[in-house]
Amino acid sequence: MASLITCPHCGTRPKEEFSIRGAAAPKRPSATAKDEDWHRYVYVRDNPKGRYQEYWHHVAGCRRFLVVDRDNLTHEVFGVTDASDFERARTAG
Amino acid sequence: MSINLLQRHVLEDHISGFETDPNPNHLAVVRRPVIFSVLAHAGHEAAVAEALKAASDLAPRFCGPSEWLAVSQTVGAETIGGLLSNIPGASFADQSDGKVLMTISGPSVRKILAKCVAVDLHSDVFAEGDSANMLCCHVAANVARTGADTFEIIVPRSFAGSVFDELMEMGREHALTRGFSD
């Protein structure tokens, strides 16, 4: 169930401990990127149905940003990673 | 009558009136604990964790990756500060005035905490010596198991009153008593 998130640092926790901070898939443009890129990053977001990667901040726990890979239709959670590991894997791959 | 305002505990008004003998289920508030927050520098995480575990007079409480609370009820802040400054790769800050330490113990402690915490506290999952940050009575607290039926809860000072009142409310059916531990 999506209301239980298994934090890689703290273990299984209720969703009340987290703050959802939006989609993790869009890549942040560089500081010198064009205004169009920033506009697209800040305002033009997809609203997908189904599997979805999202930033969750563990506010009441370890206070780390996590990336929760979940299905927003069935509430199934496929995986939770620390956001720094997620970013490292994305830049490496 | 003289009142020492410097030593006044934030829960003093919540623990007023007559003092009863403690029941088996008891909530003890530690009057002057020493609580430091400790952060490990990048690359020193494992070494600092080891040093904290090995240190005497000090109980490390896990907060998050490379972050702990160092708690002591036996020695003063200067001793703990000196001890922590000898650990290479660690930064620390004294939080004693900003945190309140409560110890809840008794045979019904898990039944009481089940109404305050949405985390499995069974000893198979949360064993003696384990600690973690979690929501306790809607407040981000650090909960540690220090014995089979003993838990220590560290909450921010400004939330201590509300957490204390809610713990007492949840412990009412189990005849939970309260008092300062010293």
Side-chain angles (χ1 to χ4, degrees), chain A:
Chain A
M1 237 178 77
S3 59
L4 284 179
I5 302 294
T6 303
C7 170
H9 311 296
C10 306
T12 304
R13 295 307 179 86
K15 68 163 176 22
E16 282 74 16
E17 289 193 359
F18 298 87
S19 170
I20 301 174
R21 308 307 302 173
K27 268 193 192 151
R28 190 182 173 85
S30 75
T32 52
K34 281 187 296 201
D35 282 356
E36 291 78 50
D37 293 342
W38 272 104
H39 178 82
R40 207 174 301 121
Y41 175 74
V42 175
Y43 297 109
V44 186
R45 291 296 183 100
D46 294 336
N47 186 16
K49 176 176 166 186
R51 199 163 168 171
Y52 185 46
Q53 283 176 325
E54 211 170 32
Y55 283 122
W56 286 51
H57 186 204
H58 198 179
V59 180
C62 54
R63 300 193 286 267
R64 297 285 296 184
F65 271 84
L66 311 172
V67 174
V68 177
D69 183 7
R70 70 184 183 103
D71 194 308
N72 59 17
L73 190 68
T74 63
H75 301 309
E76 192 182 343
V77 176
F78 300 101
V80 185
T81 46
D82 193 288
S84 62
D85 295 337
F86 175 80
E87 202 54 45
R88 217 169 289 139
R90 180 151 74 174
T91 46

Coordinates of all heavy atoms in Angstrom, one line a residue, chain A:
Chain A
M1 N 0.8 -1.2 0.0 CA 0.0 0.0 0.0 C 0.9 1.2 0.0 O 1.9 1.3 0.6 CB -0.9 0.0 1.2 CG -2.4 0.1 0.9 SD -3.4 0.0 2.4 CE -3.2 1.6 3.0
A2 N 0.4 2.2 -0.7 CA 1.3 3.5 -0.8 C 1.3 4.2 0.5 O 2.2 5.1 0.7 CB 0.7 4.4 -1.9
S3 N 0.4 3.9 1.4 CA 0.5 4.7 2.7 C 1.6 4.2 3.6 O 1.9 4.8 4.6 CB -0.8 4.6 3.4 OG -1.1 3.3 3.7
L4 N 2.3 3.1 3.2 CA 3.5 2.6 4.0 C 4.7 2.7 3.0 O 4.7 2.1 2.0 CB 3.3 1.2 4.5 CG 2.4 1.0 5.7 CD1 2.3 -0.4 6.1 CD2 2.9 1.9 6.9
I5 N 5.6 3.5 3.4 CA 6.8 3.7 2.5 C 8.0 3.2 3.3 O 8.2 3.5 4.5 CB 7.0 5.2 2.3 CG1 5.8 5.9 1.6 CG2 8.3 5.5 1.5 CD1 5.6 5.4 0.2
T6 N 8.8 2.3 2.6 CA 10.0 1.7 3.3 C 11.2 2.6 3.0 O 11.8 2.5 2.0 CB 10.2 0.3 2.8 OG1 9.0 -0.4 3.1 CG2 11.3 -0.3 3.6
C7 N 11.5 3.4 4.0 CA 12.6 4.4 3.9 C 13.9 3.5 3.9 O 14.0 2.7 4.8 CB 12.6 5.4 5.0 SG 14.0 6.4 5.1
P8 N 14.9 3.8 3.0 CA 16.1 3.0 3.1 C 16.9 3.2 4.4 O 17.8 2.4 4.7 CB 16.9 3.4 1.9 CG 16.3 4.7 1.5 CD 14.9 4.7 1.9
H9 N 16.7 4.3 5.1 CA 17.4 4.6 6.3 C 16.6 4.2 7.6 O 17.2 3.8 8.6 CB 17.8 6.1 6.4 CG 18.4 6.6 5.1 ND1 19.6 6.1 4.7 CD2 18.0 7.5 4.2 CE1 19.9 6.7 3.5 NE2 19.0 7.5 3.2
C10 N 15.3 4.4 7.6 CA 14.5 4.3 8.8 C 13.6 3.1 8.8 O 13.1 2.7 9.9 CB 13.6 5.5 8.9 SG 14.5 7.1 8.9
G11 N 13.4 2.4 7.7 CA 12.5 1.3 7.7 C 11.1 1.7 7.3 O 10.8 2.8 6.7
T12 N 10.1 0.8 7.5 CA 8.7 1.1 7.0 C 8.0 2.2 7.9 O 8.0 2.1 9.1 CB 7.9 -0.2 7.1 OG1 8.6 -1.2 6.3 CG2 6.5 -0.1 6.5
R13 N 7.5 3.2 7.2 CA 7.0 4.3 7.8 C 5.7 4.7 7.2 O 5.5 4.5 6.0 CB 7.9 5.5 7.8 CG 9.2 5.3 8.5 CD 8.9 4.9 10.0 NE 10.1 4.6 10.7 CZ 10.8 5.6 11.4 NH1 10.4 6.8 11.3 NH2 11.8 5.3 12.1
P14 N 4.7 5.3 8.0 CA 3.5 5.8 7.4 C 3.7 7.1 6.5 O 4.7 7.8 6.8 CB 2.6 6.2 8.6 CG 3.7 6.5 9.7 CD 4.8 5.6 9.4
K15 N 2.8 7.3 5.6 CA 3.0 8.4 4.7 C 2.9 9.8 5.4 O 3.4 10.8 4.9 CB 2.0 8.4 3.5 CG 0.6 8.7 4.0 CD -0.3 9.0 2.9 CE -1.8 9.2 3.2 NZ -2.2 9.5 4.6
E16 N 2.4 9.8 6.6 CA 2.2 11.1 7.3 C 3.6 11.7 7.7 O 3.7 12.9 7.9 CB 1.4 10.9 8.6 CG -0.1 10.8 8.4 CD -0.5 9.5 7.8 OE1 0.3 8.5 7.9 OE2 -1.6 9.4 7.3
E17 N 4.6 10.8 7.7 CA 6.0 11.3 8.0 C 6.6 12.1 6.9 O 7.7 12.6 7.0 CB 6.9 10.2 8.5 CG 6.5 9.6 9.8 CD 7.5 8.7 10.4 OE1 8.6 8.5 9.7 OE2 7.3 8.2 11.5
F18 N 6.0 12.0 5.7 CA 6.7 12.5 4.5 C 6.0 13.7 3.9 O 4.8 14.0 4.2 CB 6.7 11.4 3.4 CG 7.4 10.1 3.7 CD1 6.8 9.1 4.4 CD2 8.8 10.0 3.4 CE1 7.5 8.0 4.8 CE2 9.4 8.8 3.8 CZ 8.8 7.8 4.5
S19 N 6.7 14.4 3.1 CA 6.2 15.6 2.4 C 6.5 15.3 0.9 O 7.7 15.0 0.6 CB 6.8 16.8 2.9 OG 6.5 17.9 2.0
I20 N 5.5 15.3 0.0 CA 5.7 15.0 -1.4 C 6.2 16.2 -2.1 O 5.5 17.3 -2.0 CB 4.4 14.4 -2.0 CG1 4.0 13.1 -1.2 CG2 4.7 14.0 -3.4 CD1 2.7 12.5 -1.6
R21 N 7.3 16.1 -2.8 CA 7.9 17.3 -3.4 C 8.0 17.2 -4.9 O 8.8 17.9 -5.5 CB 9.4 17.4 -2.9 CG 9.5 17.4 -1.4 CD 8.7 18.4 -0.6 NE 8.9 19.7 -1.0 CZ 8.1 20.7 -0.6 NH1 7.1 20.5 0.2 NH2 8.4 22.0 -1.1
G22 N 7.1 16.4 -5.6 CA 7.0 16.5 -7.0 C 7.8 15.5 -7.8 O 8.6 14.7 -7.2
A23 N 7.6 15.5 -9.1 CA 8.2 14.5 -10.0 C 9.7 14.6 -9.9 O 10.3 15.6 -9.8 CB 7.7 14.7 -11.4
A24 N 10.3 13.4 -10.0 CA 11.8 13.3 -9.9 C 12.4 13.2 -11.3 O 13.6 13.4 -11.5 CB 12.2 12.1 -9.1
A25 N 11.6 12.8 -12.3 CA 12.1 12.6 -13.6 C 12.7 13.8 -14.3 O 13.8 13.8 -14.9 CB 11.1 11.9 -14.5
P26 N 12.0 15.0 -14.3 CA 12.5 16.1 -15.0 C 13.9 16.5 -14.5 O 14.1 16.6 -13.3 CB 11.5 17.3 -14.8 CG 10.3 16.6 -14.3 CD 10.7 15.3 -13.6
K27 N 14.8 16.8 -15.4 CA 16.2 17.2 -15.0 C 16.3 18.7 -14.9 O 15.8 19.4 -15.7 CB 17.2 16.7 -16.0 CG 17.7 15.3 -15.7 CD 18.9 15.0 -16.6 CE 19.3 13.6 -16.5 NZ 19.9 13.0 -17.7
R28 N 16.9 19.1 -13.8 CA 17.0 20.6 -13.5 C 18.0 21.2 -14.6 O 19.1 20.7 -14.7 CB 17.5 20.8 -12.1 CG 17.5 22.2 -11.6 CD 18.1 22.3 -10.2 NE 18.2 23.6 -9.8 CZ 17.2 24.3 -9.3 NH1 16.1 23.8 -9.0 NH2 17.4 25.6 -8.9
P29 N 17.6 22.2 -15.3 CA 18.5 22.8 -16.3 C 19.6 23.5 -15.5 O 19.5 23.9 -14.4 CB 17.6 23.8 -17.1 CG 16.3 23.7 -16.5 CD 16.3 22.9 -15.3
S30 N 20.7 23.8 -16.3 CA 21.8 24.5 -15.6 C 21.4 26.0 -15.4 O 20.5 26.5 -16.0 CB 23.0 24.5 -16.6 OG 22.9 25.4 -17.6
A31 N 22.2 26.7 -14.5 CA 21.8 28.0 -14.2 C 21.8 29.0 -15.3 O 21.1 30.0 -15.4 CB 22.8 28.5 -13.1
T32 N 22.6 28.6 -16.4 CA 22.7 29.5 -17.5 C 21.9 29.1 -18.7 O 22.0 29.6 -19.8 CB 24.2 29.6 -18.0 OG1 24.6 28.2 -18.2 CG2 25.1 30.2 -17.0
A33 N 21.0 28.1 -18.4 CA 20.1 27.6 -19.5 C 19.1 28.7 -19.9 O 18.9 29.6 -19.2 CB 19.4 26.3 -19.0
K34 N 18.6 28.4 -21.1 CA 17.7 29.4 -21.7 C 16.4 29.5 -20.9 O 16.0 28.6 -20.2 CB 17.3 29.0 -23.2 CG 18.4 29.4 -24.1 CD 18.0 29.1 -25.6 CE 17.7 27.7 -25.8 NZ 17.8 27.2 -27.1
D35 N 15.7 30.7 -21.0 CA 14.5 30.9 -20.3 C 13.4 29.8 -20.6 O 12.6 29.4 -19.8 CB 13.9 32.3 -20.5 CG 14.6 33.3 -19.8 OD1 15.5 32.9 -19.0 OD2 14.3 34.5 -19.9
E36 N 13.4 29.4 -21.9 CA 12.4 28.4 -22.4 C 12.6 27.1 -21.6 O 11.7 26.4 -21.2 CB 12.5 28.1 -23.9 CG 12.1 29.3 -24.8 CD 13.2 30.4 -24.9 OE1 14.3 30.0 -25.1 OE2 12.8 31.6 -24.6
D37 N 13.9 26.7 -21.4 CA 14.2 25.5 -20.7 C 13.7 25.6 -19.2 O 13.1 24.6 -18.7 CB 15.7 25.2 -20.7 CG 16.2 24.9 -22.1 OD1 15.3 24.6 -22.9 OD2 17.4 25.0 -22.3
W38 N 14.0 26.7 -18.6 CA 13.5 26.9 -17.2 C 12.0 26.9 -17.1 O 11.4 26.4 -16.2 CB 14.1 28.2 -16.7 CG 15.5 27.9 -16.1 CD1 16.7 28.2 -16.6 CD2 15.7 27.2 -14.8 NE1 17.7 27.8 -15.8 CE2 17.1 27.2 -14.7 CE3 14.9 26.7 -13.8 CZ2 17.7 26.6 -13.6 CZ3 15.5 26.1 -12.7 CH2 16.9 26.0 -12.6
H39 N 11.4 27.6 -18.1 CA 9.9 27.6 -18.1 C 9.4 26.2 -18.2 O 8.4 25.8 -17.5 CB 9.4 28.5 -19.3 CG 7.9 28.5 -19.4 ND1 7.2 29.4 -18.7 CD2 7.1 27.8 -20.1 CE1 5.9 29.2 -19.0 NE2 5.8 28.2 -19.8
R40 N 10.0 25.4 -19.1 CA 9.5 24.0 -19.3 C 9.7 23.2 -18.0 O 8.8 22.5 -17.6 CB 10.2 23.4 -20.5 CG 9.4 22.3 -21.1 CD 10.1 21.8 -22.4 NE 10.4 22.8 -23.4 CZ 11.6 23.1 -23.8 NH1 12.7 22.5 -23.4 NH2 11.8 24.1 -24.7
Y41 N 10.9 23.5 -17.3 CA 11.2 22.7 -16.1 C 10.2 23.1 -15.0 O 9.8 22.3 -14.2 CB 12.6 22.9 -15.7 CG 13.0 22.3 -14.4 CD1 13.2 20.9 -14.3 CD2 13.2 23.1 -13.3 CE1 13.5 20.4 -13.1 CE2 13.5 22.5 -12.1 CZ 13.7 21.2 -12.0 OH 14.0 20.6 -10.8
V42 N 9.9 24.4 -14.8 CA 9.2 24.9 -13.7 C 7.7 24.7 -13.9 O 7.0 24.2 -12.9 CB 9.5 26.3 -13.4 CG1 8.7 26.9 -12.2 CG2 11.0 26.5 -13.0
Y43 N 7.2 25.0 -15.1 CA 5.7 25.1 -15.2 C 5.1 24.0 -16.1 O 4.0 23.6 -15.8 CB 5.3 26.4 -15.9 CG 5.7 27.6 -15.0 CD1 6.7 28.5 -15.4 CD2 5.0 27.9 -13.8 CE1 7.1 29.5 -14.6 CE2 5.4 28.9 -13.1 CZ 6.4 29.8 -13.4 OH 6.7 30.8 -12.6
V44 N 5.9 23.5 -17.1 CA 5.3 22.5 -18.0 C 5.6 21.1 -17.5 O 6.6 20.5 -17.8 CB 5.7 22.7 -19.4 CG1 5.0 21.8 -20.4 CG2 5.6 24.2 -19.8
R45 N 4.7 20.6 -16.7 CA 4.9 19.2 -16.1 C 3.9 18.3 -16.6 O 2.7 18.6 -16.8 CB 4.9 19.3 -14.6 CG 6.1 20.0 -13.9 CD 7.4 19.3 -14.2 NE 8.5 20.0 -13.5 CZ 9.0 19.6 -12.4 NH1 8.5 18.5 -11.8 NH2 10.0 20.2 -11.9
D46 N 4.3 17.0 -16.8 CA 3.3 15.9 -17.1 C 2.5 15.6 -15.9 O 2.9 15.8 -14.8 CB 4.1 14.7 -17.6 CG 4.9 14.9 -18.9 OD1 4.5 15.9 -19.6 OD2 5.8 14.2 -19.1
N47 N 1.3 15.0 -16.2 CA 0.5 14.5 -15.1 C 0.2 13.1 -15.4 O -1.0 12.8 -15.8 CB -0.8 15.4 -15.0 CG -1.6 15.0 -13.9 OD1 -1.1 14.4 -12.9 ND2 -2.9 15.5 -13.9
P48 N 1.2 12.2 -15.3 CA 1.0 10.8 -15.8 C 0.1 10.0 -14.9 O -0.1 10.3 -13.7 CB 2.4 10.3 -15.8 CG 3.1 11.0 -14.7 CD 2.5 12.4 -14.7
K49 N -0.5 9.0 -15.5 CA -1.3 8.0 -14.8 C -0.5 6.7 -14.9 O -0.2 6.3 -15.9 CB -2.7 7.9 -15.5 CG -3.6 6.9 -14.9 CD -4.9 7.0 -15.6 CE -5.8 5.8 -15.4 NZ -7.0 5.9 -16.2
G50 N -0.2 6.1 -13.7 CA 0.5 4.9 -13.7 C 1.8 5.0 -13.0 O 1.9 5.8 -12.0
R51 N 2.9 4.4 -13.5 CA 4.1 4.4 -12.8 C 4.8 5.7 -12.8 O 4.8 6.4 -13.9 CB 5.0 3.3 -13.4 CG 6.1 2.9 -12.4 CD 6.8 1.6 -12.8 NE 8.0 1.4 -12.0 CZ 8.7 0.3 -12.0 NH1 8.2 -0.8 -12.7 NH2 9.7 0.2 -11.3
Y52 N 5.4 6.1 -11.7 CA 5.8 7.5 -11.6 C 6.9 7.6 -10.5 O 6.8 7.0 -9.5 CB 4.5 8.2 -11.1 CG 4.5 9.7 -10.9 CD1 5.1 10.5 -11.9 CD2 4.0 10.3 -9.8 CE1 5.0 11.9 -11.8 CE2 3.9 11.7 -9.7 CZ 4.5 12.5 -10.6 OH 4.4 13.8 -10.5
Q53 N 7.9 8.4 -10.8 CA 9.0 8.6 -9.8 C 8.8 10.0 -9.2 O 8.6 11.0 -9.9 CB 10.3 8.5 -10.5 CG 10.8 7.1 -10.8 CD 12.1 7.1 -11.5 OE1 12.3 7.9 -12.3 NE2 12.9 6.1 -11.2
E54 N 8.9 10.0 -7.9 CA 8.5 11.3 -7.2 C 9.5 11.5 -6.0 O 9.9 10.6 -5.4 CB 7.1 11.0 -6.6 CG 6.2 12.2 -6.5 CD 4.8 11.8 -6.1 OE1 4.6 10.8 -5.5 OE2 3.9 12.6 -6.6
Y55 N 9.8 12.8 -5.8 CA 10.6 13.1 -4.6 C 9.7 13.1 -3.3 O 8.6 13.7 -3.3 CB 11.2 14.5 -4.7 CG 12.4 14.6 -5.6 CD1 12.4 15.4 -6.7 CD2 13.5 13.8 -5.4 CE1 13.5 15.5 -7.6 CE2 14.6 13.9 -6.2 CZ 14.6 14.8 -7.3 OH 15.7 14.9 -8.2
W56 N 10.1 12.4 -2.3 CA 9.5 12.4 -1.0 C 10.5 12.8 0.0 O 11.6 12.2 0.1 CB 8.9 11.0 -0.6 CG 7.7 10.6 -1.4 CD1 7.5 10.6 -2.8 CD2 6.5 10.0 -0.8 NE1 6.3 10.1 -3.1 CE2 5.6 9.7 -1.9 CE3 6.1 9.8 0.5 CZ2 4.4 9.2 -1.7 CZ3 4.8 9.2 0.6 CH2 4.0 9.0 -0.4
H57 N 10.2 13.8 0.8 CA 11.1 14.3 1.8 C 10.6 13.7 3.1 O 9.5 13.8 3.6 CB 11.0 15.8 1.9 CG 12.0 16.4 2.9 ND1 11.8 17.6 3.5 CD2 13.2 15.9 3.3 CE1 12.8 17.9 4.2 NE2 13.7 16.9 4.2
H58 N 11.5 12.9 3.8 CA 11.2 12.3 5.0 C 11.3 13.3 6.2 O 12.3 13.2 7.0 CB 12.1 11.0 5.2 CG 11.6 10.1 6.2 ND1 12.2 8.9 6.6 CD2 10.4 10.1 6.9 CE1 11.5 8.3 7.5 NE2 10.4 9.0 7.7
V59 N 10.3 14.1 6.3 CA 10.4 15.3 7.2 C 10.5 14.8 8.7 O 11.3 15.3 9.4 CB 9.2 16.2 7.0 CG1 9.2 17.3 8.0 CG2 9.1 16.6 5.6
A60 N 9.7 13.9 9.1 CA 9.7 13.5 10.5 C 10.6 12.3 10.8 O 10.6 11.8 11.9 CB 8.3 13.1 10.9
G61 N 11.4 11.9 9.8 CA 12.4 10.8 10.1 C 13.8 11.3 9.9 O 14.3 12.1 10.6
C62 N 14.5 10.7 8.9 CA 15.9 11.0 8.7 C 16.1 12.3 8.0 O 17.2 12.7 7.8 CB 16.5 9.9 7.9 SG 15.7 9.5 6.3
R63 N 15.0 13.0 7.5 CA 15.1 14.3 6.8 C 15.9 14.2 5.5 O 16.4 15.2 5.1 CB 15.7 15.4 7.8 CG 14.9 15.6 9.0 CD 15.3 16.8 9.8 NE 16.5 16.6 10.4 CZ 16.7 16.3 11.7 NH1 15.6 16.0 12.4 NH2 17.8 16.1 12.2
R64 N 15.9 13.0 4.9 CA 16.6 12.9 3.6 C 15.5 13.0 2.5 O 14.4 12.6 2.8 CB 17.3 11.5 3.5 CG 18.4 11.3 4.5 CD 19.6 12.0 4.1 NE 20.2 11.6 2.9 CZ 21.4 12.1 2.4 NH1 22.0 13.0 3.1 NH2 21.9 11.6 1.3
F65 N 16.0 13.4 1.3 CA 15.1 13.4 0.2 C 15.2 11.9 -0.4 O 16.3 11.4 -0.6 CB 15.5 14.4 -0.9 CG 14.8 15.7 -0.7 CD1 15.3 16.6 0.2 CD2 13.6 16.0 -1.3 CE1 14.7 17.9 0.4 CE2 13.0 17.2 -1.2 CZ 13.5 18.2 -0.3
L66 N 14.0 11.3 -0.7 CA 14.0 10.0 -1.2 C 13.3 10.1 -2.6 O 12.5 11.0 -2.9 CB 13.2 9.1 -0.3 CG 13.6 9.1 1.1 CD1 12.6 8.2 1.9 CD2 14.9 8.5 1.3
V67 N 13.5 9.1 -3.4 CA 12.8 9.0 -4.7 C 12.0 7.7 -4.6 O 12.5 6.6 -4.5 CB 13.8 8.9 -5.9 CG1 13.0 8.7 -7.2 CG2 14.5 10.2 -6.0
V68 N 10.6 7.9 -4.6 CA 9.7 6.8 -4.5 C 9.2 6.5 -5.9 O 8.6 7.4 -6.6 CB 8.5 7.2 -3.5 CG1 7.5 6.0 -3.5 CG2 9.1 7.5 -2.1
D69 N 9.4 5.3 -6.3 CA 8.9 4.8 -7.6 C 7.6 4.0 -7.3 O 7.6 3.0 -6.7 CB 10.0 3.8 -8.1 CG 9.6 3.3 -9.5 OD1 8.6 3.8 -10.1 OD2 10.4 2.4 -10.0
R70 N 6.5 4.7 -7.7 CA 5.2 4.1 -7.4 C 4.2 4.2 -8.5 O 4.4 5.0 -9.4 CB 4.7 4.7 -6.1 CG 4.2 6.2 -6.3 CD 3.8 6.8 -5.0 NE 3.3 8.2 -5.3 CZ 2.1 8.5 -5.4 NH1 1.1 7.6 -5.1 NH2 1.7 9.8 -5.7
D71 N 3.1 3.5 -8.4 CA 2.1 3.6 -9.4 C 1.0 4.4 -8.7 O 0.4 4.0 -7.7 CB 1.6 2.2 -9.7 CG 0.7 2.2 -10.9 OD1 -0.3 3.0 -10.9 OD2 0.9 1.4 -11.9
N72 N 0.6 5.6 -9.3 CA -0.3 6.4 -8.7 C -1.8 6.0 -9.0 O -2.7 6.6 -8.5 CB -0.1 7.9 -9.1 CG -0.2 8.1 -10.5 OD1 -0.7 7.3 -11.3 ND2 0.3 9.3 -11.0
L73 N -1.9 4.9 -9.7 CA -3.3 4.3 -9.9 C -3.6 3.2 -9.0 O -4.6 3.1 -8.3 CB -3.4 3.9 -11.4 CG -4.8 3.5 -11.8 CD1 -5.7 4.7 -11.9 CD2 -4.7 2.8 -13.2
T74 N -2.6 2.3 -8.8 CA -2.8 1.1 -8.0 C -2.2 1.2 -6.6 O -2.4 0.4 -5.7 CB -2.2 -0.2 -8.6 OG1 -0.8 0.1 -8.7 CG2 -2.7 -0.4 -10.0
H75 N -1.5 2.3 -6.4 CA -0.8 2.6 -5.1 C 0.3 1.6 -4.8 O 0.8 1.5 -3.7 CB -1.8 2.6 -3.9 CG -2.8 3.6 -4.1 ND1 -2.6 4.9 -4.4 CD2 -4.2 3.5 -4.0 CE1 -3.7 5.6 -4.5 NE2 -4.7 4.7 -4.2
E76 N 0.8 0.9 -5.8 CA 1.9 -0.1 -5.6 C 3.2 0.7 -5.6 O 3.4 1.5 -6.4 CB 1.9 -1.1 -6.7 CG 2.8 -2.3 -6.4 CD 2.8 -3.3 -7.6 OE1 1.9 -3.2 -8.4 OE2 3.7 -4.1 -7.6
V77 N 4.1 0.3 -4.6 CA 5.4 0.9 -4.5 C 6.4 0.0 -5.1 O 6.5 -1.2 -4.6 CB 5.7 1.3 -3.1 CG1 7.1 1.9 -3.0 CG2 4.8 2.4 -2.6
F78 N 7.2 0.4 -6.1 CA 8.2 -0.5 -6.7 C 9.6 -0.4 -6.0 O 10.3 -1.3 -6.1 CB 8.3 -0.2 -8.2 CG 7.0 -0.4 -8.9 CD1 6.2 0.7 -9.2 CD2 6.5 -1.7 -9.2 CE1 5.0 0.5 -9.9 CE2 5.3 -1.9 -9.8 CZ 4.5 -0.8 -10.2
G79 N 9.9 0.8 -5.5 CA 11.2 0.9 -4.9 C 11.4 2.3 -4.3 O 10.7 3.3 -4.7
V80 N 12.2 2.4 -3.3 CA 12.5 3.7 -2.6 C 14.0 3.8 -2.6 O 14.7 2.9 -2.1 CB 11.9 3.8 -1.2 CG1 12.2 5.2 -0.6 CG2 10.4 3.5 -1.2
T81 N 14.6 4.9 -3.1 CA 16.0 5.1 -3.0 C 16.3 6.5 -2.5 O 15.5 7.4 -2.5 CB 16.7 5.1 -4.4 OG1 15.9 5.8 -5.3 CG2 16.8 3.6 -4.9
D82 N 17.5 6.7 -1.9 CA 17.9 8.0 -1.5 C 18.1 8.9 -2.7 O 18.6 8.4 -3.7 CB 19.2 7.9 -0.7 CG 19.5 9.1 0.1 OD1 19.9 10.1 -0.6 OD2 19.4 9.1 1.3
A83 N 17.7 10.1 -2.6 CA 17.8 11.0 -3.8 C 19.2 11.2 -4.3 O 19.5 11.3 -5.5 CB 17.2 12.4 -3.5
S84 N 20.2 11.1 -3.4 CA 21.6 11.3 -3.8 C 22.1 10.1 -4.6 O 22.8 10.2 -5.6 CB 22.5 11.5 -2.6 OG 22.5 10.4 -1.8
D85 N 21.6 8.9 -4.2 CA 21.9 7.7 -5.0 C 21.2 7.7 -6.3 O 21.8 7.3 -7.3 CB 21.5 6.4 -4.2 CG 22.2 6.2 -2.9 OD1 23.3 6.8 -2.8 OD2 21.7 5.5 -2.0
F86 N 20.0 8.2 -6.3 CA 19.2 8.3 -7.6 C 19.9 9.2 -8.5 O 20.1 8.9 -9.7 CB 17.8 8.8 -7.2 CG 17.0 9.1 -8.4 CD1 16.3 8.1 -9.1 CD2 16.8 10.4 -8.9 CE1 15.5 8.3 -10.2 CE2 16.0 10.7 -10.0 CZ 15.3 9.6 -10.6
E87 N 20.4 10.4 -8.0 CA 21.1 11.3 -8.9 C 22.4 10.8 -9.4 O 22.8 11.0 -10.6 CB 21.3 12.6 -8.1 CG 21.5 13.9 -8.9 CD 20.4 14.1 -9.9 OE1 19.2 14.0 -9.5 OE2 20.7 14.5 -11.0
R88 N 23.1 10.1 -8.5 CA 24.4 9.5 -8.9 C 24.2 8.4 -10.0 O 24.9 8.4 -11.0 CB 25.1 8.8 -7.7 CG 26.6 9.0 -7.7 CD 27.1 8.5 -6.4 NE 26.8 9.4 -5.3 CZ 26.5 9.1 -4.1 NH1 26.4 7.8 -3.7 NH2 26.2 10.0 -3.1
A89 N 23.1 7.6 -9.9 CA 22.8 6.6 -10.9 C 22.4 7.2 -12.2 O 22.8 6.8 -13.3 CB 21.7 5.7 -10.4
R90 N 21.7 8.4 -12.1 CA 21.2 9.0 -13.3 C 22.4 9.7 -14.1 O 22.5 9.6 -15.3 CB 20.2 10.1 -12.9 CG 19.7 10.8 -14.1 CD 18.3 11.3 -13.9 NE 18.2 12.5 -13.0 CZ 17.1 13.1 -12.7 NH1 16.0 12.8 -13.3 NH2 17.1 14.1 -11.9
T91 N 23.3 10.3 -13.4 CA 24.5 10.9 -14.1 C 25.4 9.9 -14.6 O 26.1 10.1 -15.6 CB 25.2 11.9 -13.1 OG1 25.4 11.3 -11.9 CG2 24.4 13.2 -12.9
A92 N 25.5 8.7 -13.9 CA 26.4 7.7 -14.3 C 25.9 7.0 -15.6 O 26.6 6.6 -16.5 CB 26.7 6.7 -13.2
G93 N 24.6 6.8 -15.6 CA 24.0 5.9 -16.6 C 23.5 6.7 -17.8 O 23.2 7.8 -18.0

